Amino acid sequence: MLLKLSLTSMRKLAKDYLVLLFGLTISISIFYMFETLAQNKVFLEANSLISSIVFVFHVGTFILGIITVFYIFYATSFLLSLRQRELGMYMTLGAKKRKITQLMFMETFFVGLTALIIGIVLGVGLSYGIAELLMWQLDFQGGGFQPLYSSSLLITVLFYVALFFLTSIVNAWRVGRKSVLSLLRSGQQQDQVKTSGLRTFFGVLLSVILIAVGYYAMVHIAELMQFGIILATATIIPGTYLIFISLLPFLVKRLKQNRNLNETGINSFTLGQLRFRMLNLMMVLGTVAMLIALGLGAMTAGTSFYHNIGIQASMFHANDVVLYEPNETEKQTLATMDVTEEEDYRYKYNDEGVYFLKTDLEAAPPDVMAFEEGSEGFSPTTPEAKLSADEYALYGEEGVTELPGNWWTAVSTELGAGSMFGNRSIFVYGESSYQEVDGEEQHVTLAKLNDFTAYLPELEKLDASQKSLAETYTGNQVEQLGGKYSNYVALKGFASGTIFMGVFLGIAFLMMMASVLMFKLLSSAGADVHRYSMLRKIGVRKTLLVRSIYRELFLLFLFPAIVGIVHVIVGMQMFSFIIIEPYTKIWIPLTLFFVIYGIYYFITVQMYKRIVLPKQF
Amino acid sequence: MKQSVLDVHQLNKIYGKKSEKQFHALNSVSFAMAEGEFVGVMGPSGAGKTTLLNVISTLDTATNGSVKIAGTDITAMKQGQLADFRSSQLGFIFQDFNLLENLTVYENIALPLSLQSVAVRNIKPAVESVATKLGIEAILNKYPVTISGGQKQRVAAARALVHEPALILADEPTGALDSKNARSLMETMVHLNENHGTSIMLVTHDPLSASYCERILFIQDGKLYKEIHRNSTRSAFHQDILDVLAQFASPDMD
């Protein structure tokens, strides 16, 4: 009989259970995907580039697991809050406590198992799709990836079953602990407001100081190194909580003191709700803000790593294309691109060495990336000084002057002479010495493109044919030419792993955190029912009540979002020594964040409305 | 005769569809209330008191019949208009106070004015004057949880009065109060009625509270059953009320 009752009420609360189910499913499927990617042996052995990020996936599952524990805790306590009165009623009618406890246990466990099944099916599909995408991104052929992997399946099932078992016990215990009367009267308790002027003042002051110190540490991470990271963690976390404990309640209080604002329309009610809410929610809001910062940070760092490839690849090369002995096909390919500058240089080569003609180089000195004092990093520079001596060598050959600074870079990096000619010595000769060299004369083309990334397929072809040319020069197999294109490809491989990890962990984080906030807000909605019904009685229009709900929840969602975003924006400074422009395309993770967060805000408003606004309205 | 503030004519409220078994919660109820009158409504549980109050307070709609408050027929209004009407023409006092605990006493009283977009500079004097009338000017900055039940009900009364509504509807206002606070509240209501001309309709179970009214309407089974007027002292009127209530309980009725 009780089972039947329980099923009926679960059906009645289907929408609320569906939200819990949805969040769990996402958590389970991402958990499974991470584990599958981290454990697939054949796949990892075949793809050495990926195996370096396995550790990251394990860390990812660990963090996800912790967040999920929080999430389940909040979600079930919300559902419990909806059920309390009903359970109390069963007990008044004579149901034994043990029965009720059993019932609660069964329900939680049932929802969990359903989520587990759906989650794993979704996870298999997701890991298949992601693995394909990853392989395509990194240019891998096949790789023996198995989306349905027994060991990761086992871990996922074990972890979540243990988790559900634990929450079910906690839930059952929480119901079992309460008396019939407190169950029946749940939702009637009133909030208390406590204010203490001096404490608030010190709290506000301390939070501002802590955050300021933390931000300083993050911005000056280059000088402070590890100490900076420790300092930032030790100040920003307590600072964030303090913001929610004292600064925001203080601001809302100040807003309320503005009579023009407070005594207009329903504002006093909205602000009053907000003020009370904040006192109950400060720990949750602080946690949400921190986790938004982490999730958004993971996404932003991941994507900006990725978008930095182009910039990083350009860091060492001022020129985009180097073509030795360009053949017809190569010339044609180059002609299809939007070339902004193109220069030819003559050289001779024989078994001993390679000899570039000085006059050609002097006539059009190739730009190099040089580190300038006082500037942010490398910038394109043209080697200026004329080469006064007649003979130069790239490496200090006996009796021959070494090429000066930027000229050295021009020949070694821009022309990539080292990797093209292998063990041969490289020289720059004046006209007369050049004529005396016994060897075949060839020429090399250096070109700059308008948009490097627009011609990746063409550049790949050129890179391949230049590689085979290098192989004829050196007689060995050539792995990489070290030009701009090969730098780009190597960086891209590395960044694909990070972006993938960052984005998925970020999304999982945000979804979990947004739903923790949602469930926390909704579990106190029961206590608001009488407030809204009272307002309705004294003649507040429904539209006004709805607007008040939208505003109140908007602000509650907004505060942690703002704090989190500011943390991320300042925190990205920490990466400025590995990522050249950390804010490139920051709008992508931000948009993703706003979409996910916005959806949760909207769902929360709808569910909240359903709880607090009477039907006949 | 004074102008009537409430005019209920042939009011019917039927629950249940035509095809089903119907329940007449209100059966052709008609009465009028003059401006400045203090009327009580009594009757046993299930008689239709709450339904009548809900229809008059525009929270529920009548099946047919008309209700005019201060000359306006509310039965033809739409939901939004009704909300506006409630906020401007009616004041409510409930058994469980229905104060917003997250607002101070001042803000609770000011809310109806804010909702009507009264200019902020006019709100404070209005709140202070009504608070003085009810003797709660000292607790304006407190939150409802920190004040007593009697004070809460005075705050509720102040909130019901602050926008000078045409009619105050009090639903068991003394139900949650001890006898001392109940008496004090009823005396305040009489004072408001006599000195400020406030029209009050009081729904109650309690004969003692009802004895403060000028006129009592008794309802039974959805019909107006009896009407008595106060002619002499309050204790005599109290006795009259008890007599009528005794008739309700009497087995001769059947």
Side-chain angles (χ1 to χ4, degrees):
Chain A
M1 185 58 200
L2 268 182
L3 190 71
K4 201 176 158 195
L5 282 173
S6 149
L7 280 177
T8 324
S9 70
M10 274 179 87
R11 210 174 303 144
K12 214 169 63 196
L13 297 172
K15 274 185 193 158
D16 306 292
Y17 274 94
L18 213 62
V19 177
L20 169 66
L21 199 69
F22 184 66
L24 275 179
T25 308
I26 295 293
S27 155
I28 291 168
S29 54
I30 293 181
F31 187 95
Y32 174 81
M33 177 183 73
F34 281 176
E35 277 303 304
T36 309
L37 289 172
Q39 290 193 21
N40 244 289
K41 275 209 186 86
V42 192
F43 176 64
L44 292 174
E45 277 161 14
N47 309 303
S48 56
L49 249 180
I50 295 185
S51 60
S52 60
I53 51 174
V54 162
F55 170 72
V56 187
F57 282 122
H58 280 302
V59 172
T61 43
F62 177 72
I63 297 173
L64 191 65
I66 292 179
I67 300 296
T68 311
V69 173
F70 270 100
Y71 167 74
I72 294 186
F73 176 77
Y74 279 117
T76 47
S77 68
F78 161 63
L79 289 171
L80 196 63
S81 77
L82 291 179
R83 302 289 307 280
Q84 282 187 14
R85 210 174 295 191
E86 179 198 334
L87 295 177
M89 182 68 85
Y90 295 158
M91 276 157 90
T92 341
L93 294 177
K96 288 203 182 72
K97 211 169 214 182
R98 204 167 51 85
K99 254 308 202 230
I100 298 283
T101 318
Q102 259 176 18
L103 193 75
M104 245 8 252
F105 180 85
M106 295 269 293
E107 273 187 34
T108 319
F109 210 69
F110 172 73
V111 175
L113 283 185
T114 319
L116 195 58
I117 294 166
I118 306 173
I120 285 177
V121 172
L122 203 69
V124 171
L126 204 58
S127 39
Y128 177 74
I130 291 301
E132 285 285 306
L133 189 75
L134 207 58
M135 284 190 277
W136 171 75
Q137 273 275 335
L138 301 183
D139 257 345
F140 287 129
Q141 312 302 320
F145 183 77
Q146 290 169 279
L148 190 64
Y149 199 70
S150 57
S151 125
S152 53
L153 189 70
L154 193 69
I155 287 194
T156 314
V157 171
L158 281 181
F159 176 78
Y160 280 94
V161 167
L163 196 59
F164 294 146
F165 194 73
L166 215 69
T167 12
S168 308
I169 288 179
V170 171
N171 246 355
W173 174 73
R174 279 204 286 189
V175 170
R177 209 176 40 144
K178 292 202 173 176
S179 70
V180 184
L181 272 180
S182 72
L183 281 174
L184 280 173
R185 288 196 187 136
S186 66
Q188 288 174 25
Q189 301 98 325
Q190 294 183 338
D191 298 322
Q192 293 273 354
V193 73
K194 20 183 191 336
T195 41
S196 151
L198 204 64
R199 251 180 54 196
T200 312
F201 174 75
F202 280 115
V204 171
L205 197 68
L206 197 60
S207 70
V208 172
I209 292 174
L210 283 173
I211 295 279
V213 170
Y215 279 2
Y216 178 85
M218 289 205 290
V219 173
H220 294 86
I221 201 88
E223 297 122 66
L224 296 167
M225 306 301 286
Q226 280 101 328
F227 174 69
I229 295 178
I230 296 168
L231 184 65
T233 318
T235 50
I236 289 181
I237 294 175
T240 306
Y241 281 105
L242 269 176
I243 284 187
F244 288 98
I245 292 170
S246 45
L247 183 62
L248 284 177
F250 173 72
L251 287 180
V252 175
K253 198 178 161 193
R254 290 308 296 268
L255 270 183
K256 266 191 93 66
Q257 278 165 358
N258 178 344
R259 290 197 24 224
N260 271 324
L261 182 76
N262 196 39
E263 289 171 20
T264 305
I266 202 168
N267 284 354
S268 66
F269 174 73
T270 313
L271 288 172
Q273 281 279 90
L274 201 60
R275 179 142 178 252
F276 268 75
R277 275 296 169 71
M278 280 196 165
L279 293 166
N280 288 327
L281 292 176
M282 51 199 182
M283 291 321 258
V284 180
L285 289 179
T287 311
V288 169
M290 281 316 295
L291 287 157
I292 284 175
L294 283 180
L296 189 59
M299 285 206 292
T300 314
T303 43
S304 71
F305 252 122
Y306 193 76
H307 294 297
N308 253 276
I309 306 168
I311 305 167
Q312 275 182 318
S314 322
M315 195 157 84
F316 302 109
H317 295 88
N319 292 284
D320 298 305
V321 190
V322 189
L323 292 176
Y324 282 91
E325 296 181 31
N327 59 30
E328 274 313 305
T329 339
E330 287 174 329
K331 279 181 191 161
Q332 273 169 19
T333 314
L334 189 63
T336 59
M337 301 188 222
D338 184 4
V339 179
T340 53
E341 277 176 47
E342 188 178 339
E343 291 299 337
D344 272 10
Y345 305 98
R346 278 170 289 174
Y347 67 93
K348 281 183 182 173
Y349 76 94
N350 54 34
D351 289 344
E352 281 83 52
V354 183
Y355 311 88
F356 288 94
L357 180 58
K358 197 177 83 170
T359 33
D360 274 7
L361 287 170
E362 279 178 335
D367 281 353
V368 296
M369 296 301 282
F371 190 81
E372 276 178 76
E373 284 297 321
S375 77
E376 281 282 302
F378 291 89
S379 54
T381 320
T382 315
E384 264 183 44
K386 288 275 174 192
L387 294 163
S388 51
D390 196 44
E391 292 181 9
Y392 287 94
L394 185 59
Y395 311 108
E397 305 288 331
E398 240 172 276
V400 187
T401 331
E402 198 183 288
L403 271 171
N406 285 343
W407 281 105
W408 190 92
T409 321
V411 175
S412 145
T413 312
E414 296 299 333
L415 288 168
S419 42
M420 178 54 78
F421 299 106
N423 295 327
R424 287 184 178 83
S425 302
I426 290 151
F427 302 98
V428 174
Y429 274 14
E431 197 77 49
S432 53
S433 315
Y434 182 78
Q435 295 304 337
E436 284 165 25
V437 173
D438 183 23
E440 198 182 329
E441 178 168 276
Q442 278 296 347
H443 67 102
V444 52
T445 305
L446 263 187
K448 284 186 185 173
L449 300 179
N450 192 22
D451 181 5
F452 177 78
T453 47
Y455 302 104
L456 293 177
E458 289 89 345
L459 289 168
E460 190 187 352
K461 272 187 222 150
L462 292 179
D463 191 61
S465 59
Q466 287 287 304
K467 242 187 233 174
S468 48
L469 178 70
E471 280 165 11
T472 62
Y473 275 129
T474 58
N476 297 319
Q477 206 191 335
V478 173
E479 283 272 327
Q480 259 202 13
L481 276 179
K484 187 167 173 179
Y485 179 74
S486 36
N487 263 6
Y488 180 83
V489 172
L491 285 169
K492 190 170 164 183
F494 175 67
S496 296
T498 35
I499 185 186
F500 169 74
M501 188 61 215
V503 168
F504 268 85
L505 205 57
I507 290 179
F509 249 63
L510 290 179
M511 290 184 78
M512 294 287 142
M513 283 334 291
S515 36
V516 162
L517 183 55
M518 175 177 90
F519 283 124
K520 181 70 189 168
L521 287 173
L522 290 177
S523 39
S524 57
D528 289 336
V529 174
H530 76 276
R531 292 180 197 148
Y532 284 92
S533 98
M534 191 238 102
L535 285 172
R536 175 181 167 253
K537 281 181 189 162
I538 69 167
V540 182
R541 274 179 179 244
K542 187 189 180 185
T543 46
L544 207 56
L545 287 181
V546 170
R547 205 184 310 153
S548 166
I549 292 175
Y550 267 103
R551 274 198 210 157
E552 180 198 334
L553 295 180
F554 178 75
L555 290 174
L556 285 172
F557 267 80
L558 184 72
F559 291 140
I562 290 179
V563 174
I565 288 173
V566 173
H567 280 358
V568 169
I569 288 175
V570 178
M572 285 308 285
Q573 282 292 331
M574 284 200 301
F575 295 102
S576 55
F577 64 97
I578 21 175
I579 302 175
I580 299 149
E581 284 175 19
Y583 301 111
T584 329
K585 309 221 172 161
I586 197 171
W587 62 269
I588 295 177
L590 280 181
T591 313
L592 210 56
F593 165 72
F594 282 122
V595 169
I596 294 174
Y597 208 60
I599 289 173
Y600 271 94
Y601 163 65
F602 191 72
I603 296 176
T604 310
V605 170
Q606 296 311 318
M607 288 178 73
Y608 191 84
K609 264 165 56 184
R610 213 157 48 84
I611 295 172
V612 299
L613 293 183
K615 289 261 151 41
Q616 71 262 37
F617 230 8
Chain B
M1 173 153 177
K2 283 183 190 170
Q3 209 185 336
S4 82
V5 66
L6 175 66
D7 200 345
V8 177
H9 185 70
Q10 291 292 323
L11 190 66
N12 283 292
K13 176 72 186 177
I14 303 168
Y15 291 107
K17 286 178 195 144
K18 274 211 171 113
S19 53
E20 294 161 8
K21 197 181 174 205
Q22 292 183 328
F23 174 69
H24 259 81
L26 293 177
N27 198 345
S28 305
V29 174
S30 299
F31 70 94
M33 211 180 127
E35 201 180 313
E37 228 188 334
F38 191 174
V39 175
V41 176
M42 294 191 82
S45 295
K49 295 191 302 289
T50 309
T51 310
L52 178 66
L53 191 74
N54 282 344
V55 172
I56 293 174
S57 63
T58 77
L59 293 170
D60 203 349
T61 51
T63 308
N64 54 51
S66 75
V67 177
K68 277 187 192 159
I69 299 173
T72 316
D73 190 351
I74 59 162
T75 43
M77 282 191 195
K78 295 203 178 73
Q79 281 296 339
Q81 288 173 304
L82 285 176
D84 291 346
F85 183 81
R86 278 203 294 282
S87 70
S88 62
Q89 299 296 322
L90 298 176
F92 293 92
I93 307 175
F94 304 96
Q95 176 174 354
D96 45 2
F97 322 127
N98 266 323
L99 295 177
L100 294 165
E101 325 71 275
N102 50 15
L103 297 182
T104 59
V105 167
Y106 176 89
E107 287 169 332
N108 264 292
I109 300 174
L111 192 60
L113 296 178
S114 303
L115 288 169
Q116 285 177 49
S117 317
V118 171
V120 172
R121 64 172 187 284
N122 296 333
I123 290 181
K124 201 174 179 193
V127 172
E128 279 168 354
S129 114
V130 76
T132 314
K133 267 187 219 167
L134 288 158
I136 48 169
E137 64 272 33
I139 55 164
L140 282 178
N141 288 319
K142 291 191 170 176
Y143 280 93
V145 278
T146 61
I147 62 178
S148 74
Q151 286 174 322
K152 278 185 197 167
Q153 201 56 293
R154 281 165 186 279
V155 174
R159 189 182 59 192
L161 282 168
V162 72
H163 55 298
E164 295 173 351
L167 178 63
I168 300 268
L169 298 168
D171 186 5
E172 301 275 11
T174 56
L177 300 180
D178 58 45
S179 60
K180 184 169 156 274
N181 274 313
R183 197 171 66 229
S184 149
L185 180 77
M186 289 317 298
E187 277 163 6
T188 310
M189 288 175 82
V190 170
H191 172 81
L192 289 170
N193 173 251
E194 285 172 357
N195 299 320
H196 301 279
T198 314
S199 316
I200 304 173
M201 181 171 144
L202 172 82
V203 173
T204 187
H205 260 103
D206 176 27
L208 200 64
S209 298
S211 67
Y212 286 89
C213 301
E214 294 164 8
R215 177 161 70 111
I216 308 274
L217 303 169
F218 291 91
I219 305 183
Q220 193 179 30
D221 299 332
K223 285 181 198 154
L224 214 55
Y225 163 78
K226 200 177 176 81
E227 185 178 334
I228 58 171
H229 289 262
R230 177 171 161 187
N231 301 316
S232 57
T233 61
R234 195 167 67 76
S235 58
F237 193 44
H238 184 209
Q239 196 52 54
D240 291 347
I241 295 168
L242 289 174
D243 290 344
V244 178
L245 291 177
Q247 283 174 29
F248 276 136
S250 147
D252 314 344
M253 285 277 301
D254 300 322

